[in-house]
Amino acid sequence: MYHTHTNPHLLPASRIMTVTGNGKVVANASYVQLQIEVTTQGENVQQAQQENASIMNRVIQSIMALTIPKENIQTATYTIAPIYDYVDGKQVFKGYEVANAITVKIPDINLVGVVIDTAVENGANRISSIQFKIDNADAYYQQALSLALHNAQMKANTIAQTMQLSVHPQPIEIVEENESGPVLYKSMAMADSSMVTPIEQGQITISAAVRVTFQY
């Protein structure tokens, strides 16, 4: 967090005003990150694991065939859980469920729909998230922060002019407000057999906010 002070004793007056400055920068996504899951069930753990591994390997190979490098594919979660059913109010053991999830980084946003359809066709049974992200996010944030500071200064000047103040407002404290990271989540419409799943790129807004106290 940025936190800047100047010496208020150098200024002739002791009156203060506090304003909030906001800045936004809009950027196109650099890449998309998908989470793809394969869930299998079996009467014993080995059966469910073997089936899951076979399907997931097929999914991964099919994605790599779309020119997605292997280093862009990573395991996200892997869980094994017992499955129970209830018969006449009693808990009955049915077997095990194995859930394996991978994250896939797709540099070419135009490939996202094809990757989804390919994964599903090869046995994936859930696409749990689609995240549009940008490279060099900090550089965009610095631009937004600069705009926020200018916005705060402009607000202080407007107040001073409207109130006919004789002293130009001088900043004595600048506090950066916390902002969430620039990640855009989008929902997905599953495709039918005749078309590619439509994924439309949205623009990502990177925001910054500052609280500035001026002395006048």
Side-chain angles (χ1 to χ4, degrees):
M1 175 177 290
Y2 298 91
H3 202 140
T4 305
H5 288 276
T6 58
N7 189 349
H9 300 294
L10 299 178
L11 300 173
S14 59
R15 297 173 297 179
I16 63 172
M17 69 172 79
T18 300
V19 299
T20 299
N22 296 282
K24 294 182 179 180
V25 175
V26 177
N28 291 324
S30 305
Y31 64 94
V32 175
Q33 184 170 290
L34 296 179
Q35 182 158 306
I36 299 171
E37 298 184 16
V38 171
T39 302
T40 54
Q41 297 181 354
E43 293 182 359
N44 58 70
V45 173
Q46 291 78 13
Q47 177 188 352
Q49 283 182 308
Q50 289 173 3
E51 183 183 2
N52 193 290
S54 176
I55 295 173
M56 182 57 83
N57 285 334
R58 190 166 67 243
V59 169
I60 292 173
Q61 292 302 318
S62 68
I63 292 173
M64 291 173 59
L66 297 174
T67 70
I68 304 297
K70 187 175 182 180
E71 57 267 25
N72 284 21
I73 304 173
Q74 297 182 345
T75 298
T77 61
Y78 188 92
T79 60
I80 300 174
I83 305 170
Y84 295 96
D85 202 354
Y86 288 89
V87 179
D88 297 328
K90 295 182 179 181
Q91 192 178 57
V92 179
F93 176 75
K94 289 185 61 179
Y96 293 90
E97 180 178 86
V98 176
N100 188 1
I102 59 172
T103 57
V104 181
K105 179 180 178 180
I106 308 173
D108 184 355
I109 295 174
N110 294 322
L111 280 180
V112 176
V114 177
V115 170
I116 291 171
D117 292 342
T118 299
V120 172
E121 288 169 3
N122 283 275
N125 42 26
R126 188 181 182 194
I127 309 297
S128 55
S129 73
I130 303 177
Q131 301 177 32
F132 286 75
K133 296 186 176 183
I134 56 175
D135 293 320
N136 303 317
D138 187 63
Y140 288 103
Y141 179 74
Q142 298 302 326
Q143 295 177 32
L145 186 60
S146 178
L147 291 174
L149 290 166
H150 284 295
N151 181 243
Q153 183 70 67
M154 184 172 60
K155 287 181 178 179
N157 291 340
T158 298
I159 293 172
Q161 292 170 9
T162 303
M163 300 301 293
Q164 298 181 343
L165 304 178
S166 59
V167 178
H168 185 72
Q170 297 295 318
I172 59 172
E173 183 180 66
I174 302 173
V175 179
E176 178 192 22
E177 303 285 356
N178 292 327
E179 289 287 331
S180 59
V183 177
L184 175 63
Y185 294 83
K186 301 194 77 174
S187 60
M188 179 198 70
M190 293 302 295
D192 59 28
S193 58
S194 63
M195 61 181 292
V196 174
T197 298
I199 300 296
E200 296 182 3
Q201 175 184 340
Q203 291 184 314
I204 299 174
T205 300
I206 300 91
S207 301
V210 292
R211 187 175 70 253
V212 184
T213 299
F214 292 87
Q215 190 167 15
Y216 62 95

